[in-house]
């Protein structure tokens, strides 16, 4: 049988969300960091996509390793070590250049970030209202990313925007390490049992849908700037659309936190996936109108973060012991790293609009998979923790 764990306190949850948000700050810093690397001649523009994929994929084994380590070692020791490693590797990269050096060090940074994300995942899995905690986590990390991303373009260190971005990530690692000093020693995930594993056909279907969702989102967002340029919009317009989308994302996450428990998880995901496919088509139809593109961007951002917390709810319906939910970030980031690469193949073979078509197909595949999925082996949800 699975051991029953004591609930985490609100203070522990808040600290864990801060630590996880510091780890994922890189997702908001990436556009500034990668663009500056190319502008300063420290990376070829053709290598940008590969560097993003390397770091995002490295977060996946990092989060899995973090979950395993938390079963054996105190959370405080693990998080302090990972935070210091994240800070140290970013400081080491100041002044460095070249794909080989950047690829190796960003992989190490990504692994450290994944370990820190595991802290947040375990804490969230041990509260009663997991969907609400997940939504708050998404809102906090998005706000931090938006603030830093808006500030960094105007900041340089010795004339380098790259080094300013690396310094911001190093500071985030230090903040995570400091916050980790206040973590309790008993922050541990549920142990697997011999009767039923966390990764059943039903939970794997839900996790795969989570990967499809974020992969479809990033397939659109990763090519959004190039798509706008293709239709003659200036870079300043992209900045406006992205900033407003970030605001809509925060609103979506807060709406999920407020109203999510009143909605059925799987059915909401199916509905949002269909809406996502419709919004992808709306982007194409709106291509000739700046105002229409802004409106679609707002809706797209809202659906993006409104939907994500419901995957945690669906997984807990399947596995009330809350083991499968620990793998959620790994599958989401795996999808976010792999699907845009496939979309890139489609773009190369046809046109930039192929990214939209690819994402629309991914959304529809998600909706079909979720519709056909069953809660095999699921039992009524039990509340194992307080929030």
């Amino acid at each position: 049988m699975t051991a029953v764990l004591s609930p985490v306190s609100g203070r522990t949850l808040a600290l864990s969300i801060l630590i996880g948000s510091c780890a994922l700050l890189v997702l908001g810093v990436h556009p500034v960091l990668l663009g500056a690397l190319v502008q300063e001649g420290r990376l070829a523009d053709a290598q940008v996509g590969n560097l993003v994929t390397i770091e995002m994929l490295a977060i996946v084994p990092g989060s899995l390793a973090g979950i395993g380590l938390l079963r054996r070692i105190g959370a405080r020791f693990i998080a302090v070590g990972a935070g210091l490693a994240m800070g140290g590797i970013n400081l080491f990269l100041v002044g460095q250049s070249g794909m080989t050096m950047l690829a190796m060090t960003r992989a190490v940074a990504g692994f450290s970030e994944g370990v820190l994300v595991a802290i947040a995942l375990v804490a969230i899995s041990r509260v009663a209202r997991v969907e609400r905690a997940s939504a708050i986590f998404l809102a906090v990390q998005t706000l931090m990313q938006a603030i830093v991303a808006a500030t960094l373009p105007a900041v340089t260190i010795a004339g380098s925007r790259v080094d300013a971005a690396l310094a911001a990530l190093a500071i985030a690692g230090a903040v995570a390490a400091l916050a980790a000093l206040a973590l309790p020693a008993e922050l541990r995930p549920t142990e697997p049992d011999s009767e039923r594993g966390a990764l059943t056909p039903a939970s794997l279907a839900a996790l795969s849908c989570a990967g499809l969702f974020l992969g479809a989102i990033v397939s659109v967002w990763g090519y959004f700037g190039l798509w706008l340029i293709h239709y003659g919009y200036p870079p300043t317009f992209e900045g406006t659309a992205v900033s407003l989308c970030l605001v809509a994302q925060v609103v979506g996450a807060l709406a999920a936190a407020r109203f999510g428990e009143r909605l059925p998880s799987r059915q909401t995901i199916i509905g949002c996936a269909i809406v996502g496919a419709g919004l992808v088509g709306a982007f194409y139809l709106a291509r000739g109108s700046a105002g229409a593109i802004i409106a679609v961007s707002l809706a797209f951002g809202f659906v993006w973060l409104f939907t994500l917390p419901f995957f945690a709810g669906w997984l807990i319906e399947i596995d009330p012991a809350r083991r499968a939910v620990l793998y959620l970030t790994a599958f989401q980031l795996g999808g976010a790293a792999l699907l845009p690469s496939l979309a890139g193949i489609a773009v190369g073979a046809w046109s930039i609009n192929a990214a939209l078509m690819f994402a629309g197909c991914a959304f529809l595949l998600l909706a079909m998979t979720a519709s056909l999925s069953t809660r095999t082996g699921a039992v009524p949800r039990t509340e194992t923790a307080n929030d």
Side-chain angles (χ1 to χ4, degrees):
M1 296 295 293
T2 302
V4 177
L5 294 171
S6 60
V8 298
S9 66
R11 177 172 175 271
T12 297
L13 179 63
L15 287 169
S16 301
I17 285 176
L18 174 60
I19 290 168
S21 297
C22 286
L24 294 178
L25 183 67
V26 68
L27 302 182
V29 171
H30 259 158
V32 177
L33 173 62
L34 297 170
L37 281 167
V38 173
Q39 289 177 344
E40 295 177 19
R42 293 159 71 166
L43 184 70
D45 53 2
Q47 298 171 323
V48 167
N50 293 333
L51 197 61
V52 173
T53 300
I54 287 169
E55 183 159 4
M56 291 186 72
L57 287 179
I59 295 175
V60 174
S63 67
L64 298 178
I67 292 167
L69 288 170
L70 284 168
R71 292 194 174 105
R72 298 167 177 80
I73 306 173
R76 190 180 304 132
F77 179 80
I78 293 170
V80 169
L84 293 177
M86 175 183 163
I89 200 69
N90 282 291
L91 286 179
F92 172 78
L93 273 174
V94 170
Q96 300 290 336
S97 62
M99 182 60 183
T100 301
M101 173 64 73
L102 290 169
M104 290 190 299
T105 49
R106 293 321 304 172
V108 175
F111 189 88
S112 301
E113 291 154 4
V115 173
L116 292 173
V117 169
I119 300 290
L121 291 174
V122 169
I124 289 170
S125 74
R126 287 180 51 187
V127 301
R129 301 168 71 183
V130 172
E131 298 96 326
R132 180 173 178 268
S134 297
I136 292 171
F137 181 35
L138 290 167
V140 170
Q141 64 181 258
T142 304
L143 276 174
M144 288 177 59
Q145 291 168 16
I147 291 169
V148 175
T151 304
L152 277 179
V155 178
T156 63
I157 294 179
S160 172
R161 289 198 300 125
V162 171
D163 292 344
L166 291 170
L169 293 173
I171 292 170
V175 170
L178 286 173
L181 293 173
L183 286 175
E186 65 272 12
L187 182 61
R188 299 186 186 279
T190 303
E191 290 285 352
D193 59 42
S194 58
E195 297 179 3
R196 182 170 176 265
L199 300 181
T200 64
S203 62
L204 279 172
L207 289 166
S208 298
C209 285
L212 276 172
F213 182 82
L214 200 56
I217 290 285
V218 177
S219 293
V220 174
W221 217 234
Y223 288 95
F224 187 62
L226 293 174
W227 184 80
L228 290 174
I229 292 171
H230 177 77
Y231 285 104
Y233 292 95
T236 52
F237 178 73
E238 179 190 357
T240 301
V242 169
S243 298
L244 291 174
C245 181
L246 285 169
V247 173
Q249 287 176 43
V250 175
V251 174
L254 294 177
R258 177 67 179 84
F259 303 108
E261 292 178 340
R262 304 178 185 179
L263 300 172
S265 295
R266 185 168 66 96
Q267 290 84 347
T268 300
I269 290 168
I270 293 168
C272 288
I274 294 171
V275 171
L279 289 172
V280 168
F283 268 123
Y284 181 75
L285 295 175
R287 63 193 183 279
S289 169
I293 289 175
I294 292 294
V296 178
S297 297
L298 287 169
F300 191 77
F302 180 91
V303 171
W304 182 343
L305 255 65
F306 177 79
T307 309
L308 286 177
F310 289 97
F311 286 102
W314 185 13
L315 285 165
I316 291 174
E317 290 173 3
I318 294 168
D319 176 27
R322 303 176 181 225
R323 295 160 298 186
V325 75
L326 297 174
Y327 298 94
L328 183 56
T329 294
F331 275 77
Q332 286 176 335
L333 292 181
L338 295 176
L339 263 68
S341 298
L342 297 177
I345 296 173
V347 169
W350 290 285
S351 72
I352 193 68
N353 289 315
L356 298 179
M357 183 180 295
F358 179 88
C361 291
F363 279 127
L364 293 176
L365 176 61
L366 187 169
M368 182 178 67
T369 303
S371 297
L372 296 174
S373 295
T374 60
R375 292 171 54 191
T376 303
V379 296
R381 184 189 303 194
T382 58
E383 305 217 335
T384 61
N386 300 323
D387 58 348

